[in-house]
Amino acid sequence: MAKETALPLAFMARMAALLDEEFPPFLAVLNQKPVPALRVNTLKLPVEQFLALSPWALTPIPWCPEGFTLDRKANIGTHTYHEIALYYVQDASAMAVGALTAPQPGERVLDLCASPGGKSTHLASLLAGQGVLVANEIDRGRAEALRRNLERWGATNALVLNETPERLADRWPGAFDRVVVDAPCSGEGMFRKNEEARFHWSEAHVVGCALRQREILHSASRLVRPGGRLVYATCTFAPEEDEGVIAHFLRSHPDYALATPPWHSGFQPGRPEWADWPAVETRRETQSNSLQRAVRLWPHKLQGEGHFVAIMQRAGDQAPAAWKPAQPVRLAPSDRAALEAFWQPLIGRPLPERLLLRPRESRDVEVLAPPEDAPDTARLRTALSGWRLGLLRKGRFEPSHALAMALRAEEVSQRIDQPIGGELAARYMRGETLDAPGPDGWVLIAVEGFPVGWGKRVGGVVKNHYPKSLRWG
Ligand SMILES: C[S@@+](CC[C@H](N)C(=O)[O-])C[C@H]1O[C@@H](n2cnc3c(N)ncnc32)[C@H](O)[C@@H]1O
């Protein structure tokens, strides 16, 4: 069945009425295949270095310096560079969210609806390891996926929470420089990628999503410091969400106003007339044009699936509200000795001073290095509180995959570094043991100088510690 006929009829009728003579080109692109795109992981390498490594022809995305579109046949989802997180596969229009949020290194940033981590990994790269990224996801299973993605990405200053927006707002009012709400939405911008989005769509779903977004945004507004920014984004075209939600938010939150984002080729302004915006009191009418400061990314106007982004600035100018800091612990001397016995001969950067311990269900204890400005997360459902270094297990220290992914290979004295396509690396990723002479102990496996994971060598045989879930099938 052609995709065109699988699009919900009521959706088509709505879009035809909204878009008028633009409807035929809009419909035409919905019947084309999505354009693949990737965003380079600048925590691991500069864009120029990736350009030199890339086996594909890359076309820059105007609004995202780390983003590129590719030929439809490019195998970016299965390439080794993807497995070692040199890039994230992300729709080009979705990259506008992180780019327009523009966090500055050192800031406190909250991504409130964050899984699987497309925006969070982008925000983590822009923070460049400085400041704090709190990535929250209300769904427990999805929060775990978010944690795995941020760890693979090499983020060292991220917390992952599994909370409701209300509970976070009660705990940390005014504590963030920037809050991103990449809202659960009716997903019309997913229609050409995702059959399920088409299946679940209905006009009632659109209305339900709009109401839920209003509630999430209200909580989000409480978390932003005076002078800070609240970013609202969806991957839908429905005006009841998008302009409708922003108009409602601005009416009920007079301390917020839309900010003008940097404008790029292909961006289209928000549509005030779709939200009945001028029909409100005079003071608000002065802001009616400001709904045009929201950005619509349409699939027939640029290379991307479609997004809506609005940046709202909170009035005033105050530093983020103080929060109770995370309380690092002093390691017992035997634990400290075990950790140092692993770290000192192997890792060419100082062992982090401040450490957290998290007992696990077994008798193992997880060791983490929290970001410098980390908050205490007691009584919040917490999936991650910083850089997970590894486990204290029966008097020894066992490094985590997250430790490997956030190191640079040259920082590790014992390593097996393979060129792309190297046989040993392929065997490692398949989960095999490796024959590789050298001293006994932990070894980092790397490809082209980028970490893949740990192995442990005894008598010239390297036992595989690549996480089972990542191994080639
Ligand atoms: C559009 S997705 C987020 C995509 C993600 N930001 C990314 O770029 O990978 C919206 C997320 O909001 C979560 N969500 C659903 N209901 C929510 C609620 N009431 N409050 C907060 N988040 C919610 C969903 O579980 C979903 O993961």
Side-chain angles (χ1 to χ4, degrees):
M1 192 188 287
K3 272 192 185 163
E4 187 175 341
T5 52
L7 287 169
L9 285 177
F11 163 75
M12 299 233 277
R14 283 160 54 93
M15 294 313 293
L18 288 170
L19 288 176
D20 205 4
E21 77 265 22
E22 273 188 43
F23 181 63
F26 170 76
L27 192 57
V29 296
L30 287 200
N31 287 303
Q32 292 168 7
K33 281 199 161 151
V35 183
L38 61 79
R39 181 170 42 71
V40 178
N41 185 353
T42 53
L43 290 179
K44 292 189 187 263
L45 78 176
V47 169
E48 302 70 40
Q49 189 182 350
F50 182 75
L51 292 179
L53 285 176
S54 169
W56 310 289
L58 301 171
T59 306
I61 294 170
W63 50 90
C64 179
E66 309 85 26
F68 299 89
T69 52
L70 297 98
D71 184 87
R72 289 205 159 85
K73 291 192 280 293
N75 57 335
I76 53 173
T78 53
H79 198 275
T80 301
Y81 290 157
H82 181 242
E83 297 188 37
I84 58 177
L86 296 196
Y87 58 81
Y88 197 96
V89 175
Q90 187 177 33
D91 159 42
S93 61
M95 295 178 200
V97 182
L100 297 183
T101 302
Q104 303 302 304
E107 288 184 339
R108 290 181 185 171
V109 178
L110 170 63
D111 188 1
L112 198 52
C113 313
S115 189
K119 316 298 182 310
S120 283
T121 52
H122 197 176
L123 298 167
S125 284
L126 295 173
L127 283 174
Q130 296 164 53
V132 184
L133 172 66
V134 177
N136 181 65
E137 168 55 47
I138 198 165
D139 179 281
R140 194 183 204 168
R142 288 175 63 82
E144 272 305 301
L146 173 65
R147 176 187 63 72
R148 283 193 298 273
N149 280 336
L150 277 165
E151 292 198 325
R152 249 166 41 82
W153 194 245
T156 54
N157 59 338
L159 276 61
V160 175
L161 300 183
N162 169 218
E163 273 301 342
T164 64
E166 299 77 17
R167 272 173 53 93
L168 295 183
D170 289 345
R171 180 74 163 255
W172 292 320
F176 290 91
D177 295 290
R178 294 173 209 249
V179 175
V180 177
V181 175
D182 188 28
C185 71
S186 56
E188 294 167 358
M190 302 294 279
F191 279 1
R192 72 177 177 178
K193 270 192 168 172
N194 188 337
E195 185 82 40
E196 220 180 307
R198 278 177 266 156
F199 180 77
H200 286 298
W201 188 92
S202 68
E203 288 184 293
H205 185 43
V206 169
V207 173
C209 286
L211 291 175
R212 182 160 57 166
Q213 290 167 18
R214 287 182 183 188
E215 287 171 15
I216 297 174
L217 267 188
H218 174 63
S219 297
S221 73
R222 297 166 55 207
L223 287 148
V224 178
R225 70 169 169 86
R229 288 189 161 198
L230 172 57
V231 177
Y232 163 85
T234 72
C235 60
T236 203
F237 311 114
E240 296 90 331
E241 302 170 60
D242 299 353
E243 286 89 350
V245 166
I246 293 304
H248 177 270
F249 178 82
L250 292 173
R251 282 187 196 116
S252 47
H253 296 81
D255 51 339
Y256 279 88
L258 277 158
T260 311
W263 214 258
H264 295 280
S265 140
F267 281 14
Q268 298 291 311
R271 302 285 290 261
E273 70 277 18
W274 288 352
D276 269 348
W277 184 238
V280 291
E281 51 169 302
T282 317
R283 190 176 63 82
R284 288 288 168 206
E285 276 180 21
T286 58
Q287 287 190 357
S288 65
N289 285 333
S290 75
L291 264 186
Q292 294 182 337
R293 294 180 183 163
V295 183
R296 276 192 169 267
L297 294 96
W298 291 101
H300 60 295
K301 298 282 187 188
L302 44 72
Q303 299 269 49
E305 300 306 295
H307 245 76
F308 178 93
V309 190
I311 319 273
M312 287 160 293
Q313 171 117 21
R314 187 170 190 184
D317 184 14
Q318 276 178 28
W323 53 24
K324 184 177 175 205
Q327 301 293 322
V329 292
R330 217 174 224 292
L331 289 190
S334 60
D335 290 342
R336 181 97 208 167
L339 184 49
E340 280 179 357
F342 163 83
W343 195 279
Q344 302 304 355
L346 194 65
I347 313 284
R349 73 161 87 171
L351 177 63
E353 288 286 321
R354 306 167 64 250
L355 297 171
L356 298 175
L357 296 181
R358 298 274 181 260
R360 300 251 299 226
E361 277 160 20
S362 53
R363 296 180 66 186
D364 303 342
V365 176
E366 200 164 71
V367 184
L368 297 109
E372 204 177 309
D373 178 30
D376 175 45
T377 62
R379 294 182 309 286
L380 293 175
R381 287 190 298 264
T382 307
L384 185 70
S385 2
W387 188 15
R388 216 153 46 97
L389 305 182
L391 286 179
L392 286 164
R393 167 173 279 179
K394 296 184 192 145
R396 300 239 173 91
F397 180 77
E398 190 171 293
S400 73
H401 189 60
L403 174 64
M405 295 309 279
L407 289 169
R408 282 177 289 114
E410 65 268 23
E411 291 179 298
V412 183
S413 60
Q414 292 302 321
R415 59 182 188 270
I416 299 170
D417 198 347
Q418 293 264 289
I420 183 82
E423 176 56 22
L424 277 187
R427 286 181 47 204
Y428 177 77
M429 288 165 129
R430 286 199 293 268
E432 298 172 18
T433 47
L434 309 177
D435 291 320
D440 286 0
W442 291 99
V443 189
L444 184 79
I445 318 301
V447 168
E448 301 279 351
F450 299 101
V452 184
W454 296 108
K456 194 168 186 190
R457 181 159 44 202
V458 180
V461 177
V462 178
K463 190 175 165 215
N464 199 308
H465 282 255
Y466 197 43
K468 290 200 168 66
S469 59
L470 297 176
R471 292 178 187 178
W472 293 350

